[in-house]
Amino acid sequence: MKIHEYQAKEILARYGIPIQPGRVAHTPEEAEAIARDLGGPVVIKAQVYVGGRGKAGGIQFGNTPEEARAAAARVLGMNIKGLTVQKVLVVSKLEIQEEYYLGIVLDRKTQAPVVMVSTAGGVDIEEVAATTPEKIIKQPIDLRWGLRPFEARNILARAGFPSAVIARGGSILTALARAFIESDANLAEINPLVLTRDGQVQAADAKIVLDDNALYRHRDYAAWEEPEEANPLEFEAHKEGLTYVKLNGNVGIIGNGAGLVMTTLDMVAACGGKPANFLDIGGGARAEVMAKALTFVARDPDVQGVLVNIFGGITRGEEVARGVIMAQQQLPAGLPIVVRLSGTGAEEGRAMLKDAGLDWGKDMRDAAQKIVAAIQAKEKGQQA
């Protein structure tokens, strides 16, 4: 479960991590009142469940309460990566001298939380990992005793943090590890952790993703859930009875059965593609369900092509083909679609697809390769 920055900072504050004073505003007038109470320059920060707010104009400044009101008016209602800003966090502006990164994430290889720290704060950690990976220091946490203070200080020293930051930064990192473990988080990061001109070390921004399977242990956190804001597509899919999860790629995925869909995701990745979603139409789906699923996946602006992978049992291949054909008039022009059918009604379904001029794969790997190649060709054509 994603939570907003102000909620993540509330969790950090419970563990003694210093944060800026501030409150949430839903209107420009509220932002002006908060700025007046804070009594100095403020930062207006859009509260949406995506990164890149600064680049999108979702972080602005106000030196006076009146400027804060005007800045909030500009940010509220803004569309950032498909999400509408409905509230802003108004916090005191920091005089920043240096920025750092502290993060903890679950790692499949070590099957443990892993600490990641870097002196290159204030930018996406993925960008740092891609361009200067040597600037990131990683260390697994032994859950028998957590991250101990001397280990935290050692990690920061190895990463090249200045001596003036190591002691206080080590305490913050230790507290972040406790917050991560005790909150049942999948991700917890402070980016940036800042050293101010007057020598303070604070969390200027925070991001925490909670494991929704553990929310029954954290009723106060569960009350923060905003599914319609966290991912509008997932929320709408749930209302329409579709089992749908949004991912970060550009290959739409539709299958029947969770295991088959997961295998399809892996196959697309192995062929060089990036899945955009998980959508399971279940068993026995009729043509109408297939058509609805296909048009729904295509609504995602990130989707550049769709792979349909169906094993026919109680779901018949000809019904799937009929649904794909039915959906054509409602899909974006030129959207590549590759269908793989196996089992009951597969031959009939493939014949129907061929008559309709639609592509199909002889097996799952062939279908995955075809959709990845079609998307790559489409992207090259757009760049030419």
Side-chain angles (χ1 to χ4, degrees), residues 5-19:
E5 175 193 349
Y6 73 92
Q7 294 163 333
K9 284 184 171 179
E10 181 178 326
I11 293 176
L12 298 187
R14 295 179 185 182
Y15 288 85
I17 296 175
I19 61 173

Side-chain angles (χ1 to χ4, degrees), residues 155-189:
I155 294 170
L156 298 186
R158 286 162 48 205
F161 279 58
S163 56
V165 176
I166 288 176
R168 282 169 291 177
S171 298
I172 291 173
L173 183 56
T174 301
L176 182 65
R178 284 185 55 222
F180 177 93
I181 294 168
E182 295 176 11
S183 299
D184 290 300
N186 292 327
L187 169 72
E189 65 179 19

Side-chain angles (χ1 to χ4, degrees), residues 166 240 281 330 344:
I166 288 176
E240 294 187 23
I281 62 172
Q330 303 177 56
T344 307

